Amino acid sequence: MNKSKKAEIRMQNFEETFRYGNVDVMKLTIKYPVVKLQNNPDAQAMINNQIAIEVNEYHRHVSDFLYNQAVNDYREAQENNYPFHGYEAYMEYVITYNDNCFLSYYYDKYEYTGGAHGMTLRSSNTFELCRGTMIPLYCFFKKGLNYRRKLIFEIIKQADERLKEEPGIFFDDYESLIIKNFDEDNYFLSPDGLSIYYQHYDIAPYSTGIVVFTIPYKTIGWYPSC
């Protein structure tokens, strides 16, 4: 089987403005990668198909649900004679690891709907490049190991250290929230290790943002390799 140690990445940009009558009520921007794998068209197609599914699902969400919400808000603003602030939807992919036969990325979906600030939701995927298959978190650990407990222990330890440097960046009950809101899908690979992230408000106030904890590969006992 031909192996692809690293993918070629070409970023694409898609923009669309949604109108109601002659008024622009919402703007959508999507920045996504197109993956090329030399001599491995099957794996290339599987990865690009997954990205296409994610992009198309978000486009449908924006075109249907978010557009209707924007139109309703615009009508209400007109009826009550107050200003309407146009909606914004923004989806952007970030490649976090692309080497040693692994490709990992996250994508943020940001939406502004006229409030004090917008909201961002992060998702991610990791692929083994030889076959183009998505890798779940448990695959990086020895069978039978309580990897969830191991990761949470490391995350809490890092959170404790951060809190010493920046008091107030987490909620007071951050330890229990780290356990409660731990999501096995919320991870990506990075050059330094396996990164676990928590969404807005999971363990910290909005001002802290999406919180990322990177567990070194040495601590995990696994390294990306072909």
Side-chain angles (χ1 to χ4, degrees), residues 31-142:
K31 296 183 178 181
Y32 65 97
V34 176
V35 173
K36 183 177 181 181
L37 297 174
Q38 294 290 345
N39 305 316
N40 199 344
D42 292 339
Q44 174 182 301
M46 290 176 68
I47 296 171
N48 284 325
N49 285 343
Q50 176 60 35
I51 294 170
I53 288 171
E54 295 159 0
V55 169
N56 290 334
E57 283 182 351
Y58 189 60
H59 186 269
R60 282 195 297 270
H61 163 75
V62 172
S63 302
D64 184 10
F65 174 79
L66 208 60
Y67 173 71
N68 288 330
Q69 182 177 312
V71 168
N72 289 335
D73 282 357
Y74 171 75
R75 288 173 173 170
E76 187 175 340
Q78 291 295 102
E79 291 171 1
N80 294 279
N81 197 30
Y82 57 74
F84 169 75
H85 300 286
Y87 279 27
E88 292 182 29
Y90 191 89
M91 182 185 197
E92 182 174 14
Y93 282 72
V94 176
I95 305 297
T96 61
Y97 191 86
N98 180 22
D99 204 357
N100 298 309
C101 299
F102 284 89
L103 174 69
S104 195
Y105 63 72
Y106 69 78
Y107 55 97
D108 286 345
K109 295 177 289 188
Y110 167 85
E111 295 175 5
Y112 174 75
T113 58
H117 54 69
M119 279 297 296
T120 300
L121 180 67
R122 177 166 294 178
S123 302
S124 54
N125 269 318
T126 296
F127 296 88
E128 187 273 320
L129 291 179
C130 297
R131 296 177 176 82
T133 51
M134 289 188 289
I135 309 298
L137 184 63
Y138 68 83
C139 288
F140 302 111
F141 301 90
K142 293 179 180 179

